[in-house]
Amino acid sequence: MIEWFSENLWAAWLALAFVLLLFEIFMLDLLFLMLAAGAGAATTVALADGPPWLQVVAGSATALLMLGAVRPVALKHLKKGPEAQLTNVDRMAGLEAIALEPITEASGLAEVDGDTWTARAAGDFRIEPGSTALVDSVEGATVYLKPTLGIEWNEEGTVTP
């Protein structure tokens, strides 16, 4: 068994490359892909009947080169997008919220974009239930709201002070 393994070390390197590629599928950070490239280089040396120490050196050097030179460039290109492209909670600033209960600096609930959030007033004021407000910022699972500026009309069609 040991003799077969030493004669077919390329199969072990190939299996390692395959396992690393599977890890990469789940992690998606290009780390295991670079290590798999090193295992692929070791496989190539093994198939060319290189000695085991040369396989390890070639695999290690390739993996280090890929990690140090290729991965940073690849990540930069993968994460390239418009500077103004906001995602997750970063995009919430400025969205409209509806107060579900009175919102003060200490307590409150609001609905933002169809989801219920713990809400706090972003200043010394109170937002009444049913009123609309704007998201000022988000910290953890709490949205900080500021009231929307609007005109209150009474039943006679005049402005309420």
Side-chain angles (χ1 to χ4, degrees), residues 104-143:
T104 63
E105 287 182 290
S107 67
L109 281 177
E111 183 179 314
V112 181
D113 203 22
D115 295 319
T116 301
W117 287 76
T118 301
R120 302 289 183 262
D124 188 21
F125 47 81
R126 179 182 172 101
I127 302 171
E128 296 299 326
S131 301
T132 59
L134 293 178
V135 175
D136 183 56
S137 62
V138 180
E139 289 183 23
T142 303
V143 291

PDB file of all heavy atoms in Angstrom, residues 104-143:
ATOM      1  N   THR A 104     -39.225  57.570  21.344  1.00  0.00           N
ATOM      2  CA  THR A 104     -38.476  58.588  22.079  1.00  0.00           C
ATOM      3  C   THR A 104     -37.000  58.206  22.025  1.00  0.00           C
ATOM      4  O   THR A 104     -36.627  57.230  21.370  1.00  0.00           O
ATOM      5  CB  THR A 104     -38.940  58.657  23.548  1.00  0.00           C
ATOM      6  OG1 THR A 104     -38.656  57.396  24.162  1.00  0.00           O
ATOM      7  CG2 THR A 104     -40.433  58.951  23.649  1.00  0.00           C
ATOM      8  N   GLU A 105     -36.192  58.947  22.773  1.00  0.00           N
ATOM      9  CA  GLU A 105     -34.770  58.602  22.821  1.00  0.00           C
ATOM     10  C   GLU A 105     -34.520  57.299  23.570  1.00  0.00           C
ATOM     11  O   GLU A 105     -33.442  56.720  23.470  1.00  0.00           O
ATOM     12  CB  GLU A 105     -33.981  59.720  23.493  1.00  0.00           C
ATOM     13  CG  GLU A 105     -33.844  60.956  22.627  1.00  0.00           C
ATOM     14  CD  GLU A 105     -33.007  62.022  23.299  1.00  0.00           C
ATOM     15  OE1 GLU A 105     -33.481  62.612  24.280  1.00  0.00           O
ATOM     16  OE2 GLU A 105     -31.875  62.254  22.820  1.00  0.00           O
ATOM     17  N   ALA A 106     -35.530  56.826  24.321  1.00  0.00           N
ATOM     18  CA  ALA A 106     -35.351  55.637  25.149  1.00  0.00           C
ATOM     19  C   ALA A 106     -36.089  54.401  24.644  1.00  0.00           C
ATOM     20  O   ALA A 106     -35.719  53.282  24.996  1.00  0.00           O
ATOM     21  CB  ALA A 106     -35.805  55.936  26.578  1.00  0.00           C
ATOM     22  N   SER A 107     -37.155  54.565  23.848  1.00  0.00           N
ATOM     23  CA  SER A 107     -37.929  53.398  23.434  1.00  0.00           C
ATOM     24  C   SER A 107     -38.686  53.668  22.145  1.00  0.00           C
ATOM     25  O   SER A 107     -38.828  54.806  21.715  1.00  0.00           O
ATOM     26  CB  SER A 107     -38.928  53.016  24.538  1.00  0.00           C
ATOM     27  OG  SER A 107     -39.898  54.030  24.667  1.00  0.00           O
ATOM     28  N   GLY A 108     -39.173  52.556  21.554  1.00  0.00           N
ATOM     29  CA  GLY A 108     -40.017  52.667  20.375  1.00  0.00           C
ATOM     30  C   GLY A 108     -39.819  51.528  19.401  1.00  0.00           C
ATOM     31  O   GLY A 108     -38.841  50.784  19.465  1.00  0.00           O
ATOM     32  N   LEU A 109     -40.811  51.389  18.513  1.00  0.00           N
ATOM     33  CA  LEU A 109     -40.770  50.421  17.420  1.00  0.00           C
ATOM     34  C   LEU A 109     -41.202  51.122  16.143  1.00  0.00           C
ATOM     35  O   LEU A 109     -42.099  51.964  16.167  1.00  0.00           O
ATOM     36  CB  LEU A 109     -41.718  49.254  17.670  1.00  0.00           C
ATOM     37  CG  LEU A 109     -41.292  48.150  18.627  1.00  0.00           C
ATOM     38  CD1 LEU A 109     -42.416  47.124  18.780  1.00  0.00           C
ATOM     39  CD2 LEU A 109     -40.042  47.462  18.144  1.00  0.00           C
ATOM     40  N   ALA A 110     -40.584  50.729  15.040  1.00  0.00           N
ATOM     41  CA  ALA A 110     -40.950  51.319  13.753  1.00  0.00           C
ATOM     42  C   ALA A 110     -40.840  50.260  12.668  1.00  0.00           C
ATOM     43  O   ALA A 110     -40.115  49.273  12.802  1.00  0.00           O
ATOM     44  CB  ALA A 110     -40.041  52.495  13.432  1.00  0.00           C
ATOM     45  N   GLU A 111     -41.583  50.490  11.599  1.00  0.00           N
ATOM     46  CA  GLU A 111     -41.510  49.621  10.440  1.00  0.00           C
ATOM     47  C   GLU A 111     -40.703  50.330   9.363  1.00  0.00           C
ATOM     48  O   GLU A 111     -41.031  51.451   8.972  1.00  0.00           O
ATOM     49  CB  GLU A 111     -42.906  49.304   9.916  1.00  0.00           C
ATOM     50  CG  GLU A 111     -42.883  48.335   8.755  1.00  0.00           C
ATOM     51  CD  GLU A 111     -44.272  47.996   8.259  1.00  0.00           C
ATOM     52  OE1 GLU A 111     -45.144  47.710   9.097  1.00  0.00           O
ATOM     53  OE2 GLU A 111     -44.473  48.032   7.031  1.00  0.00           O
ATOM     54  N   VAL A 112     -39.640  49.670   8.912  1.00  0.00           N
ATOM     55  CA  VAL A 112     -38.792  50.221   7.864  1.00  0.00           C
ATOM     56  C   VAL A 112     -38.672  49.176   6.763  1.00  0.00           C
ATOM     57  O   VAL A 112     -38.245  48.051   7.021  1.00  0.00           O
ATOM     58  CB  VAL A 112     -37.378  50.574   8.398  1.00  0.00           C
ATOM     59  CG1 VAL A 112     -36.525  51.180   7.292  1.00  0.00           C
ATOM     60  CG2 VAL A 112     -37.453  51.493   9.592  1.00  0.00           C
ATOM     61  N   ASP A 113     -39.075  49.544   5.576  1.00  0.00           N
ATOM     62  CA  ASP A 113     -38.940  48.666   4.415  1.00  0.00           C
ATOM     63  C   ASP A 113     -39.583  47.298   4.654  1.00  0.00           C
ATOM     64  O   ASP A 113     -39.053  46.270   4.274  1.00  0.00           O
ATOM     65  CB  ASP A 113     -37.469  48.521   4.050  1.00  0.00           C
ATOM     66  CG  ASP A 113     -37.253  48.119   2.589  1.00  0.00           C
ATOM     67  OD1 ASP A 113     -38.166  48.357   1.768  1.00  0.00           O
ATOM     68  OD2 ASP A 113     -36.180  47.569   2.282  1.00  0.00           O
ATOM     69  N   GLY A 114     -40.720  47.295   5.358  1.00  0.00           N
ATOM     70  CA  GLY A 114     -41.462  46.064   5.604  1.00  0.00           C
ATOM     71  C   GLY A 114     -41.022  45.268   6.814  1.00  0.00           C
ATOM     72  O   GLY A 114     -41.614  44.249   7.135  1.00  0.00           O
ATOM     73  N   ASP A 115     -39.970  45.698   7.500  1.00  0.00           N
ATOM     74  CA  ASP A 115     -39.468  44.996   8.677  1.00  0.00           C
ATOM     75  C   ASP A 115     -39.666  45.846   9.926  1.00  0.00           C
ATOM     76  O   ASP A 115     -39.551  47.066   9.887  1.00  0.00           O
ATOM     77  CB  ASP A 115     -37.976  44.679   8.534  1.00  0.00           C
ATOM     78  CG  ASP A 115     -37.697  43.714   7.401  1.00  0.00           C
ATOM     79  OD1 ASP A 115     -38.477  42.756   7.262  1.00  0.00           O
ATOM     80  OD2 ASP A 115     -36.707  43.920   6.680  1.00  0.00           O
ATOM     81  N   THR A 116     -39.931  45.180  11.053  1.00  0.00           N
ATOM     82  CA  THR A 116     -40.091  45.881  12.325  1.00  0.00           C
ATOM     83  C   THR A 116     -38.732  46.009  12.999  1.00  0.00           C
ATOM     84  O   THR A 116     -38.009  45.020  13.135  1.00  0.00           O
ATOM     85  CB  THR A 116     -41.065  45.123  13.243  1.00  0.00           C
ATOM     86  OG1 THR A 116     -42.325  45.020  12.559  1.00  0.00           O
ATOM     87  CG2 THR A 116     -41.272  45.865  14.549  1.00  0.00           C
ATOM     88  N   TRP A 117     -38.399  47.235  13.405  1.00  0.00           N
ATOM     89  CA  TRP A 117     -37.119  47.532  14.029  1.00  0.00           C
ATOM     90  C   TRP A 117     -37.337  48.176  15.389  1.00  0.00           C
ATOM     91  O   TRP A 117     -38.299  48.900  15.596  1.00  0.00           O
ATOM     92  CB  TRP A 117     -36.330  48.527  13.173  1.00  0.00           C
ATOM     93  CG  TRP A 117     -35.763  47.954  11.920  1.00  0.00           C
ATOM     94  CD1 TRP A 117     -36.436  47.657  10.769  1.00  0.00           C
ATOM     95  CD2 TRP A 117     -34.402  47.626  11.679  1.00  0.00           C
ATOM     96  NE1 TRP A 117     -35.585  47.162   9.841  1.00  0.00           N
ATOM     97  CE2 TRP A 117     -34.315  47.141  10.357  1.00  0.00           C
ATOM     98  CE3 TRP A 117     -33.238  47.709  12.435  1.00  0.00           C
ATOM     99  CZ2 TRP A 117     -33.125  46.728   9.798  1.00  0.00           C
ATOM    100  CZ3 TRP A 117     -32.045  47.311  11.873  1.00  0.00           C
ATOM    101  CH2 TRP A 117     -32.007  46.817  10.564  1.00  0.00           C
ATOM    102  N   THR A 118     -36.390  47.951  16.294  1.00  0.00           N
ATOM    103  CA  THR A 118     -36.323  48.751  17.507  1.00  0.00           C
ATOM    104  C   THR A 118     -35.928  50.141  17.047  1.00  0.00           C
ATOM    105  O   THR A 118     -34.999  50.296  16.250  1.00  0.00           O
ATOM    106  CB  THR A 118     -35.256  48.191  18.469  1.00  0.00           C
ATOM    107  OG1 THR A 118     -35.591  46.845  18.782  1.00  0.00           O
ATOM    108  CG2 THR A 118     -35.173  49.013  19.732  1.00  0.00           C
ATOM    109  N   ALA A 119     -36.642  51.145  17.540  1.00  0.00           N
ATOM    110  CA  ALA A 119     -36.391  52.497  17.058  1.00  0.00           C
ATOM    111  C   ALA A 119     -36.141  53.443  18.226  1.00  0.00           C
ATOM    112  O   ALA A 119     -36.699  53.272  19.314  1.00  0.00           O
ATOM    113  CB  ALA A 119     -37.567  52.990  16.229  1.00  0.00           C
ATOM    114  N   ARG A 120     -35.327  54.444  17.959  1.00  0.00           N
ATOM    115  CA  ARG A 120     -35.053  55.505  18.915  1.00  0.00           C
ATOM    116  C   ARG A 120     -35.082  56.825  18.163  1.00  0.00           C
ATOM    117  O   ARG A 120     -34.753  56.889  16.982  1.00  0.00           O
ATOM    118  CB  ARG A 120     -33.675  55.335  19.581  1.00  0.00           C
ATOM    119  CG  ARG A 120     -33.479  54.034  20.320  1.00  0.00           C
ATOM    120  CD  ARG A 120     -34.319  53.985  21.605  1.00  0.00           C
ATOM    121  NE  ARG A 120     -34.076  52.767  22.346  1.00  0.00           N
ATOM    122  CZ  ARG A 120     -34.840  51.689  22.303  1.00  0.00           C
ATOM    123  NH1 ARG A 120     -35.908  51.679  21.525  1.00  0.00           N
ATOM    124  NH2 ARG A 120     -34.574  50.629  23.017  1.00  0.00           N
ATOM    125  N   ALA A 121     -35.471  57.876  18.870  1.00  0.00           N
ATOM    126  CA  ALA A 121     -35.453  59.210  18.274  1.00  0.00           C
ATOM    127  C   ALA A 121     -34.006  59.681  18.203  1.00  0.00           C
ATOM    128  O   ALA A 121     -33.227  59.476  19.140  1.00  0.00           O
ATOM    129  CB  ALA A 121     -36.288  60.172  19.101  1.00  0.00           C
ATOM    130  N   ALA A 122     -33.635  60.297  17.107  1.00  0.00           N
ATOM    131  CA  ALA A 122     -32.267  60.771  16.904  1.00  0.00           C
ATOM    132  C   ALA A 122     -32.097  62.170  17.480  1.00  0.00           C
ATOM    133  O   ALA A 122     -31.293  62.955  17.005  1.00  0.00           O
ATOM    134  CB  ALA A 122     -31.919  60.749  15.427  1.00  0.00           C
ATOM    135  N   GLY A 123     -32.849  62.490  18.493  1.00  0.00           N
ATOM    136  CA  GLY A 123     -32.777  63.801  19.142  1.00  0.00           C
ATOM    137  C   GLY A 123     -33.805  63.863  20.255  1.00  0.00           C
ATOM    138  O   GLY A 123     -34.436  62.868  20.604  1.00  0.00           O
ATOM    139  N   ASP A 124     -33.986  65.043  20.798  1.00  0.00           N
ATOM    140  CA  ASP A 124     -34.919  65.228  21.915  1.00  0.00           C
ATOM    141  C   ASP A 124     -36.307  65.556  21.378  1.00  0.00           C
ATOM    142  O   ASP A 124     -36.751  66.707  21.432  1.00  0.00           O
ATOM    143  CB  ASP A 124     -34.405  66.327  22.846  1.00  0.00           C
ATOM    144  CG  ASP A 124     -35.225  66.418  24.119  1.00  0.00           C
ATOM    145  OD1 ASP A 124     -35.892  65.422  24.463  1.00  0.00           O
ATOM    146  OD2 ASP A 124     -35.218  67.490  24.758  1.00  0.00           O
ATOM    147  N   PHE A 125     -36.979  64.574  20.836  1.00  0.00           N
ATOM    148  CA  PHE A 125     -38.343  64.744  20.333  1.00  0.00           C
ATOM    149  C   PHE A 125     -39.074  63.417  20.415  1.00  0.00           C
ATOM    150  O   PHE A 125     -38.487  62.387  20.703  1.00  0.00           O
ATOM    151  CB  PHE A 125     -38.360  65.283  18.891  1.00  0.00           C
ATOM    152  CG  PHE A 125     -37.430  64.586  17.962  1.00  0.00           C
ATOM    153  CD1 PHE A 125     -37.767  63.386  17.374  1.00  0.00           C
ATOM    154  CD2 PHE A 125     -36.186  65.144  17.662  1.00  0.00           C
ATOM    155  CE1 PHE A 125     -36.899  62.745  16.517  1.00  0.00           C
ATOM    156  CE2 PHE A 125     -35.317  64.495  16.800  1.00  0.00           C
ATOM    157  CZ  PHE A 125     -35.678  63.301  16.232  1.00  0.00           C
ATOM    158  N   ARG A 126     -40.378  63.447  20.144  1.00  0.00           N
ATOM    159  CA  ARG A 126     -41.224  62.264  20.214  1.00  0.00           C
ATOM    160  C   ARG A 126     -41.917  62.105  18.869  1.00  0.00           C
ATOM    161  O   ARG A 126     -42.427  63.059  18.300  1.00  0.00           O
ATOM    162  CB  ARG A 126     -42.251  62.462  21.342  1.00  0.00           C
ATOM    163  CG  ARG A 126     -43.212  61.323  21.510  1.00  0.00           C
ATOM    164  CD  ARG A 126     -44.204  61.691  22.630  1.00  0.00           C
ATOM    165  NE  ARG A 126     -45.277  60.733  22.729  1.00  0.00           N
ATOM    166  CZ  ARG A 126     -45.349  59.771  23.625  1.00  0.00           C
ATOM    167  NH1 ARG A 126     -44.393  59.661  24.532  1.00  0.00           N
ATOM    168  NH2 ARG A 126     -46.358  58.943  23.645  1.00  0.00           N
ATOM    169  N   ILE A 127     -41.945  60.858  18.383  1.00  0.00           N
ATOM    170  CA  ILE A 127     -42.629  60.548  17.131  1.00  0.00           C
ATOM    171  C   ILE A 127     -43.831  59.696  17.495  1.00  0.00           C
ATOM    172  O   ILE A 127     -43.690  58.644  18.115  1.00  0.00           O
ATOM    173  CB  ILE A 127     -41.695  59.817  16.144  1.00  0.00           C
ATOM    174  CG1 ILE A 127     -40.455  60.672  15.857  1.00  0.00           C
ATOM    175  CG2 ILE A 127     -42.433  59.469  14.864  1.00  0.00           C
ATOM    176  CD1 ILE A 127     -39.370  59.960  15.078  1.00  0.00           C
ATOM    177  N   GLU A 128     -45.006  60.153  17.130  1.00  0.00           N
ATOM    178  CA  GLU A 128     -46.250  59.474  17.500  1.00  0.00           C
ATOM    179  C   GLU A 128     -46.527  58.274  16.591  1.00  0.00           C
ATOM    180  O   GLU A 128     -46.095  58.242  15.439  1.00  0.00           O
ATOM    181  CB  GLU A 128     -47.428  60.457  17.417  1.00  0.00           C
ATOM    182  CG  GLU A 128     -47.346  61.606  18.407  1.00  0.00           C
ATOM    183  CD  GLU A 128     -47.334  61.144  19.856  1.00  0.00           C
ATOM    184  OE1 GLU A 128     -47.997  60.133  20.181  1.00  0.00           O
ATOM    185  OE2 GLU A 128     -46.640  61.772  20.667  1.00  0.00           O
ATOM    186  N   PRO A 129     -47.272  57.276  17.101  1.00  0.00           N
ATOM    187  CA  PRO A 129     -47.627  56.111  16.281  1.00  0.00           C
ATOM    188  C   PRO A 129     -48.378  56.523  15.010  1.00  0.00           C
ATOM    189  O   PRO A 129     -49.225  57.405  15.046  1.00  0.00           O
ATOM    190  CB  PRO A 129     -48.525  55.288  17.197  1.00  0.00           C
ATOM    191  CG  PRO A 129     -48.190  55.730  18.579  1.00  0.00           C
ATOM    192  CD  PRO A 129     -47.783  57.165  18.473  1.00  0.00           C
ATOM    193  N   GLY A 130     -48.048  55.894  13.916  1.00  0.00           N
ATOM    194  CA  GLY A 130     -48.669  56.199  12.632  1.00  0.00           C
ATOM    195  C   GLY A 130     -47.960  57.306  11.873  1.00  0.00           C
ATOM    196  O   GLY A 130     -48.188  57.487  10.684  1.00  0.00           O
ATOM    197  N   SER A 131     -47.091  58.056  12.535  1.00  0.00           N
ATOM    198  CA  SER A 131     -46.350  59.134  11.874  1.00  0.00           C
ATOM    199  C   SER A 131     -45.212  58.559  11.048  1.00  0.00           C
ATOM    200  O   SER A 131     -44.685  57.496  11.346  1.00  0.00           O
ATOM    201  CB  SER A 131     -45.760  60.096  12.906  1.00  0.00           C
ATOM    202  OG  SER A 131     -46.765  60.660  13.696  1.00  0.00           O
ATOM    203  N   THR A 132     -44.850  59.298  10.024  1.00  0.00           N
ATOM    204  CA  THR A 132     -43.701  58.875   9.227  1.00  0.00           C
ATOM    205  C   THR A 132     -42.454  59.595   9.721  1.00  0.00           C
ATOM    206  O   THR A 132     -42.531  60.712  10.249  1.00  0.00           O
ATOM    207  CB  THR A 132     -43.905  59.166   7.726  1.00  0.00           C
ATOM    208  OG1 THR A 132     -44.117  60.553   7.549  1.00  0.00           O
ATOM    209  CG2 THR A 132     -45.068  58.377   7.177  1.00  0.00           C
ATOM    210  N   ALA A 133     -41.343  58.955   9.544  1.00  0.00           N
ATOM    211  CA  ALA A 133     -40.052  59.514   9.942  1.00  0.00           C
ATOM    212  C   ALA A 133     -39.015  59.020   8.951  1.00  0.00           C
ATOM    213  O   ALA A 133     -39.290  58.143   8.127  1.00  0.00           O
ATOM    214  CB  ALA A 133     -39.704  59.067  11.358  1.00  0.00           C
ATOM    215  N   LEU A 134     -37.838  59.587   9.030  1.00  0.00           N
ATOM    216  CA  LEU A 134     -36.743  59.165   8.162  1.00  0.00           C
ATOM    217  C   LEU A 134     -35.659  58.509   8.995  1.00  0.00           C
ATOM    218  O   LEU A 134     -35.352  58.957  10.107  1.00  0.00           O
ATOM    219  CB  LEU A 134     -36.151  60.370   7.422  1.00  0.00           C
ATOM    220  CG  LEU A 134     -37.050  61.039   6.394  1.00  0.00           C
ATOM    221  CD1 LEU A 134     -36.346  62.245   5.786  1.00  0.00           C
ATOM    222  CD2 LEU A 134     -37.442  60.063   5.306  1.00  0.00           C
ATOM    223  N   VAL A 135     -35.058  57.473   8.452  1.00  0.00           N
ATOM    224  CA  VAL A 135     -33.961  56.794   9.137  1.00  0.00           C
ATOM    225  C   VAL A 135     -32.738  57.705   9.077  1.00  0.00           C
ATOM    226  O   VAL A 135     -32.295  58.104   8.005  1.00  0.00           O
ATOM    227  CB  VAL A 135     -33.647  55.430   8.487  1.00  0.00           C
ATOM    228  CG1 VAL A 135     -32.435  54.792   9.138  1.00  0.00           C
ATOM    229  CG2 VAL A 135     -34.851  54.511   8.550  1.00  0.00           C
ATOM    230  N   ASP A 136     -32.222  58.040  10.251  1.00  0.00           N
ATOM    231  CA  ASP A 136     -31.026  58.870  10.342  1.00  0.00           C
ATOM    232  C   ASP A 136     -29.781  57.981  10.328  1.00  0.00           C
ATOM    233  O   ASP A 136     -28.822  58.258   9.629  1.00  0.00           O
ATOM    234  CB  ASP A 136     -31.075  59.716  11.622  1.00  0.00           C
ATOM    235  CG  ASP A 136     -29.907  60.658  11.733  1.00  0.00           C
ATOM    236  OD1 ASP A 136     -29.710  61.456  10.798  1.00  0.00           O
ATOM    237  OD2 ASP A 136     -29.175  60.586  12.749  1.00  0.00           O
ATOM    238  N   SER A 137     -29.817  56.911  11.119  1.00  0.00           N
ATOM    239  CA  SER A 137     -28.683  55.986  11.176  1.00  0.00           C
ATOM    240  C   SER A 137     -29.159  54.648  11.733  1.00  0.00           C
ATOM    241  O   SER A 137     -30.274  54.529  12.228  1.00  0.00           O
ATOM    242  CB  SER A 137     -27.559  56.550  12.052  1.00  0.00           C
ATOM    243  OG  SER A 137     -28.018  56.726  13.379  1.00  0.00           O
ATOM    244  N   VAL A 138     -28.281  53.657  11.657  1.00  0.00           N
ATOM    245  CA  VAL A 138     -28.574  52.321  12.176  1.00  0.00           C
ATOM    246  C   VAL A 138     -27.382  51.889  13.016  1.00  0.00           C
ATOM    247  O   VAL A 138     -26.234  51.994  12.578  1.00  0.00           O
ATOM    248  CB  VAL A 138     -28.798  51.300  11.034  1.00  0.00           C
ATOM    249  CG1 VAL A 138     -29.091  49.924  11.592  1.00  0.00           C
ATOM    250  CG2 VAL A 138     -29.910  51.763  10.117  1.00  0.00           C
ATOM    251  N   GLU A 139     -27.669  51.406  14.214  1.00  0.00           N
ATOM    252  CA  GLU A 139     -26.624  50.839  15.072  1.00  0.00           C
ATOM    253  C   GLU A 139     -27.125  49.494  15.565  1.00  0.00           C
ATOM    254  O   GLU A 139     -28.066  49.438  16.347  1.00  0.00           O
ATOM    255  CB  GLU A 139     -26.321  51.763  16.244  1.00  0.00           C
ATOM    256  CG  GLU A 139     -25.591  53.026  15.854  1.00  0.00           C
ATOM    257  CD  GLU A 139     -25.237  53.890  17.048  1.00  0.00           C
ATOM    258  OE1 GLU A 139     -25.154  53.360  18.176  1.00  0.00           O
ATOM    259  OE2 GLU A 139     -25.061  55.102  16.844  1.00  0.00           O
ATOM    260  N   GLY A 140     -26.506  48.443  15.102  1.00  0.00           N
ATOM    261  CA  GLY A 140     -26.948  47.096  15.468  1.00  0.00           C
ATOM    262  C   GLY A 140     -28.333  46.847  14.912  1.00  0.00           C
ATOM    263  O   GLY A 140     -28.582  46.960  13.724  1.00  0.00           O
ATOM    264  N   ALA A 141     -29.287  46.524  15.810  1.00  0.00           N
ATOM    265  CA  ALA A 141     -30.669  46.266  15.402  1.00  0.00           C
ATOM    266  C   ALA A 141     -31.575  47.428  15.755  1.00  0.00           C
ATOM    267  O   ALA A 141     -32.782  47.266  15.886  1.00  0.00           O
ATOM    268  CB  ALA A 141     -31.167  44.983  16.056  1.00  0.00           C
ATOM    269  N   THR A 142     -31.007  48.617  15.918  1.00  0.00           N
ATOM    270  CA  THR A 142     -31.787  49.806  16.281  1.00  0.00           C
ATOM    271  C   THR A 142     -31.642  50.864  15.201  1.00  0.00           C
ATOM    272  O   THR A 142     -30.526  51.190  14.793  1.00  0.00           O
ATOM    273  CB  THR A 142     -31.299  50.378  17.623  1.00  0.00           C
ATOM    274  OG1 THR A 142     -31.387  49.361  18.615  1.00  0.00           O
ATOM    275  CG2 THR A 142     -32.147  51.561  18.049  1.00  0.00           C
ATOM    276  N   VAL A 143     -32.792  51.388  14.761  1.00  0.00           N
ATOM    277  CA  VAL A 143     -32.769  52.504  13.816  1.00  0.00           C
ATOM    278  C   VAL A 143     -32.996  53.791  14.595  1.00  0.00           C
ATOM    279  O   VAL A 143     -33.801  53.833  15.520  1.00  0.00           O
ATOM    280  CB  VAL A 143     -33.829  52.359  12.701  1.00  0.00           C
ATOM    281  CG1 VAL A 143     -33.490  51.233  11.769  1.00  0.00           C
ATOM    282  CG2 VAL A 143     -35.219  52.196  13.237  1.00  0.00           C
TER     283      VAL A 143
END
